[in-house]
Amino acid sequence: MIEAIAEHLAPRIQAVSQWPLQAVLYVPRLGRINARVRREQGAWSIDLEAQEDGTARWLSGVRQPCEDRLAVALGQPVSLQLSTVGRA
């Protein structure tokens, strides 16, 4: 499922020229994930906001591998932050 997130998100990031990018991902068995991407000095800042609590828990357990996979796909460091819809 980490691959699915990277495959959905990386091409969108690479195709955009205006920032921040806001996208909605629909990942099988995970549901809806809102993404907000900002470009920073030589790196990417990506906020993923899960619709479901279970998805947020899963993402928190795979945050580092997901961050690493996105960094490989984008060719630059990635800082990945996680939250759940409706939480501050």
Side-chain angles (χ1 to χ4, degrees), residues 5-81:
I5 291 171
E7 288 175 8
H8 280 82
L9 194 54
R12 292 182 189 188
I13 293 171
Q14 293 166 332
V16 172
S17 62
Q18 292 184 346
W19 305 103
L21 166 67
Q22 293 190 4
V24 177
L25 309 175
Y26 292 96
V27 182
R29 297 187 303 245
L30 292 179
R32 179 180 163 160
I33 300 172
N34 299 319
R36 185 163 197 250
V37 182
R38 293 178 308 281
R39 189 173 182 123
E40 298 178 349
Q41 296 276 355
W44 298 98
S45 176
I46 302 175
D47 299 318
L48 296 180
E49 182 181 57
Q51 182 81 33
E52 303 293 329
D53 287 336
T55 301
R57 285 190 298 276
W58 178 82
L59 281 170
S60 69
V62 298
R63 188 193 65 76
Q64 188 63 53
C66 190
E67 187 175 85
D68 294 343
R69 178 61 186 93
L70 285 164
V72 168
L74 296 170
Q76 289 185 316
V78 170
S79 173
L80 188 63
Q81 304 300 315

